[in-house]
């Protein structure tokens, strides 16, 4: 108590004085309301004698239940319950003392007060104590809102979704003084919420009413707050919101919400809507039983520190392997990945890093000898098309020889599953990168024939949104610099998938493989790159070709206008797996002996004959002049 009074702030001292008057005056008021006693000198003396212990009882209870060191600006239901409890418990203690005093004939010989007086005292104390605190909160909130509304008058916000997430965001905006912006309207498709208000903000319409409501309420920013919405419904809502020209943002999704720490808030997680949210399709549903081959096993991921390799490690960790071995030539990304996995899974699975190159067969053998992995996911590769046109021999050494070395070690050490990450650029390739990945597919098919215990398979997919070297990060950087966004050709199209989707497919393929297959994902319709650029500009609140220009620079070396997922010869044997989004193409005939001879010829390749070497292995490789 002494410490409390020494550190009292002015508003806390005022609360103490007010509570002193309330707890003592409540009994006078109750007696007056019920006219139970005629006011007399004896009654006044009786009530005055009670002042010390009444004051001590209530104020000690208020102190013990932290009613003086609460931040009343944030007062809620929990604080109200505590105040009511203190009023009730304190009054009960006063009745007990009054009763004891009556029996001892201590308090001037008066009888204990009628029970109704004590009941009324509870209600009066609770009502007045809560009321003064509500008034403090209201005063501070109105004062802050008045100040901040002027400061944020130019940022008027619409919130899509009047559910738990939208209400939580409104609450946080309010207690932070609307520093982020001023919410002016809510929209929700729930009929029961129409024409209602949440913290004073009207639910003025449904999703389809967004364009009209933006104009009516002069909105310039829209925040999406429906974390449970399906990917398809999200895209529909985003398209409607984008048509308004407002800046579009989104609150955290379900996974981000679950992983939020105690120091984080919803408003901290508000972010720009990613172009990926507009392109991603429904998540590939994995059969967990098919993926059970990873449980309790040691898994090696080459190129595990890369954008795709790291997500692959995260997906693998979900299926309870005993150990994940990250094999990569670049240590920084691998180390960051290990830290994040250890933080999330607390050492189960164990995560080890081994630095090295897939070009180095002896280093690979050292790692295989140390861990004897049961599954290998081969993600290490050079993937940048224009750069590999300039350094074709490096692409051959890394993508062809590296794949051969890793597959050879997998076969030598009895690995159960070997999965190669391939690309749609391997189909009828026109560039070095695509041709080398096609050779990598042939190597997998070759080892599938000669191996007695290892299942070799490849997974072929399109462009991965957000991966290193993909078009999206380039566009974002150009946009941050004020434009222009550069596109090689107005008609160029690509298949797109997200990094998690690609990684899930790879994990699933490991369980579906029997050996020699090339797994292909049903990737829907290809997307024009220029459409990506236009949507990204619109998402940022700008108008394409007016605020931000799009320039066409011409096709780069080795670049095609469109990509294919399967060769014509593969389509006849194409089969659907138990997952209706995943297909299998049958392997085409290859000359295994010639392939072995060609691989051994790699050290003798020169920059002058590297493309001839690739054309010999991949007859449909047609390099662009």
């Amino acid at each position: 108590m002494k410490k409390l009074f020494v550190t009292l702030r002015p508003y806390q001292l005022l609360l103490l004085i007010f509570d002193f008057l309330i707890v003592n005056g409540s009994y006078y008021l109750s007696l007056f309301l019920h006219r139970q006693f005629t006011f007399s000198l004896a009654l006044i003396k009786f009530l005055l004698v009670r002042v010390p212990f009444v004051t001590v009882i209530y104020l000690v209870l208020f102190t013990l239940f932290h009613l003086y060191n609460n931040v009343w600006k944030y007062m809620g239901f929990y604080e109200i319950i505590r105040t009511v409890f203190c009023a009730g418990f304190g009054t009960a203690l006063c009745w007990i003392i009054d009763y004891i005093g009556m029996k001892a004939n201590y308090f001037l010989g008066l009888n204990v007060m009628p029970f109704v007086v004590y009941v009324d005292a509870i209600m009066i104390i609770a009502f007045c104590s809560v009321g003064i605190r509500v008034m403090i909160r209201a005063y501070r909130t109105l004062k802050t809102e008045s100040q901040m509304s002027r400061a944020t008058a130019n940022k008027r916000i619409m919130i899509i979704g009047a559910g738990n997430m939208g209400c939580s965001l409104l609450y946080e905006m309010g207690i932070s003084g609307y520093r982020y912006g001023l919410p002016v309207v809510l929209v929700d498709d729930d009929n029961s919420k129409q024409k209602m208000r949440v913290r004073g903000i009207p639910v003025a319409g449904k999703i389809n009413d967004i364009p009209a409501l933006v104009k009516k309420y002069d909105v310039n920013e829209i925040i999406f707050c429906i974390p449970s919405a399906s990917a398809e419904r999200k895209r529909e809502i985003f398209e409607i919101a984008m048509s308004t020209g407002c800046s579009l943002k989104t609150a955290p999704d379900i996974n981000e919400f679950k992983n939020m720490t105690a120091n984080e808030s919803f408003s901290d997680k508000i972010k720009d809507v990613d172009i990926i949210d507009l392109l991603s399709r429904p998540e590939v549903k994995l059969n967990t039983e098919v993926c059970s081959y990873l449980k309790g096993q040691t898994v090696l991921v080459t190129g595990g520190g890369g954008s795709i390799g790291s997500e692959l490690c995260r997906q693998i960790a979900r299926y309870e392997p005993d150990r994940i071995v990250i094999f990569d030539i670049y240590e920084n990304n691998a180390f960051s990945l290990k830290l994040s996995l250890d933080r999330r899974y607390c050492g189960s699975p164990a995560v080890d890093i081994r630095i090295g190159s897939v070009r180095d067969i002896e280093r690979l053998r050292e790692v295989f000898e140390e861990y004897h992995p049961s599954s290998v996911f081969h993600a290490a590769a050079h993937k940048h098309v224009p750069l590999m046109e300039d350094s074709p021999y490096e692409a051959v050494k890394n993508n062809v020889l590296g794949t051969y070395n890793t597959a050879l070690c997998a076969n030598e050490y009895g690995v159960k599953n070997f999965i190669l990450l391939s690309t749609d650029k391997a189909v009828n390739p026109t560039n070095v990168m695509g041709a080398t990945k096609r050779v990598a597919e042939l190597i997998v098919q070759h080892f599938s024939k000669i191996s007695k215990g290892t299942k070799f398979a490849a997974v072929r997919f399109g462009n991965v949104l957000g991966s290193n070297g993909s078009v999206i990060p380039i566009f974002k950087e150009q946009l941050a610099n004020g434009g222009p966004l550069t596109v090689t050709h107005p008609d160029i199209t690509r298949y797109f998938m997200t990094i998690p989707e690609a990684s899930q497919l790879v994990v699933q393929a490991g369980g579906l493989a029997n050996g020699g297959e090339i797994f292909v994902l049903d990737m829907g319709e290809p997307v024009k790159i220029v459409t990506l650029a236009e949507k990204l500009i619109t998402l940022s609140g700008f108008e394409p070709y007016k605020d931000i220009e799009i320039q066409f620079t011409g096709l780069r070396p080795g670049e095609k206008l469109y990509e294919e997922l399967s060769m014509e010869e593969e389509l006849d044997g194409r089969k659907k797996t138990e997952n209706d989004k995943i297909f299998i193409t049958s392997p085409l005939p290859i000359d295994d002996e010639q392939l072995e001879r060609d691989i051994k010829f790699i050290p003798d390749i020169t920059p002058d004959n590297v493309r001839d070497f690739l054309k010999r292995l991949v007859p449909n490789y047609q390099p662009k002049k």
Side-chain angles (χ1 to χ4, degrees), residues 4-17:
L4 169 70
F5 285 101
V6 169
T7 58
L8 278 179
R9 296 176 181 177
Y11 83 91
Q12 291 174 316
L13 182 59
L14 286 174
L15 278 177
L16 271 171
I17 295 171

Side-chain angles (χ1 to χ4, degrees), residues 148-289:
M148 296 308 299
S149 62
R150 290 194 296 270
T152 60
N154 294 328
K155 193 173 185 180
R156 298 173 61 82
I157 298 171
M158 169 187 286
I159 294 178
I160 301 176
N164 289 336
M165 185 71 78
C167 294
S168 297
L169 180 59
L170 272 178
Y171 173 75
E172 288 203 358
M173 284 181 165
I175 64 178
S176 66
Y178 299 104
R179 289 182 177 84
Y180 183 82
L182 192 65
V184 293
V185 63
L186 289 152
V187 296
D188 198 294
D189 278 341
D190 188 342
N191 288 325
S192 66
K193 296 176 181 175
Q194 298 304 311
K195 298 184 180 179
M196 305 295 283
R197 286 180 176 265
V198 179
R199 293 182 60 82
I201 309 301
V203 182
K206 299 185 178 182
I207 302 298
N208 290 334
D209 301 321
I210 287 175
L213 293 174
V214 164
K215 293 179 180 178
K216 179 178 178 180
Y217 288 89
D218 195 22
V219 172
N220 47 34
E221 181 169 298
I222 300 174
I223 302 178
F224 176 82
C225 285
I226 312 178
S228 60
S230 66
E232 184 177 358
R233 182 57 176 157
K234 277 185 182 180
R235 287 196 304 275
E236 292 173 358
I237 296 172
F238 289 159
E239 293 288 353
I240 294 172
M242 285 172 59
S243 69
T244 65
C246 293
S247 174
L248 183 56
K249 298 185 181 295
T250 181
D253 61 25
I254 292 293
N255 291 328
E256 289 177 304
F257 174 69
K258 289 178 180 178
N259 294 328
M260 279 171 57
T261 65
N263 295 325
E264 292 179 316
S265 64
F266 296 116
S267 53
D268 293 331
K269 292 289 186 177
I270 293 174
K271 60 184 181 181
D272 293 331
V273 172
D274 202 307
I275 189 69
I276 294 174
D277 295 320
L278 296 177
L279 296 175
S280 59
R281 296 168 290 109
E283 180 180 324
V284 176
K285 300 299 180 183
L286 299 187
N287 184 333
T288 54
E289 292 182 4

Side-chain angles (χ1 to χ4, degrees), residues 20-37 39-51 54 113 117 120-121 124-125:
F20 167 78
L21 296 174
I22 288 172
V23 298
N24 288 286
S26 62
Y27 292 95
Y28 288 87
L29 181 60
S30 180
L31 286 168
F32 174 76
L33 291 174
H34 291 283
R35 303 180 186 278
Q36 296 291 337
F37 291 115
F39 278 92
S40 63
L41 183 60
L43 177 60
I44 293 173
K45 287 182 179 180
F46 169 68
L47 293 173
L48 288 175
V49 167
R50 297 174 77 254
V51 169
V54 168
M113 289 183 288
V117 172
D120 282 353
I124 294 169
I125 293 169

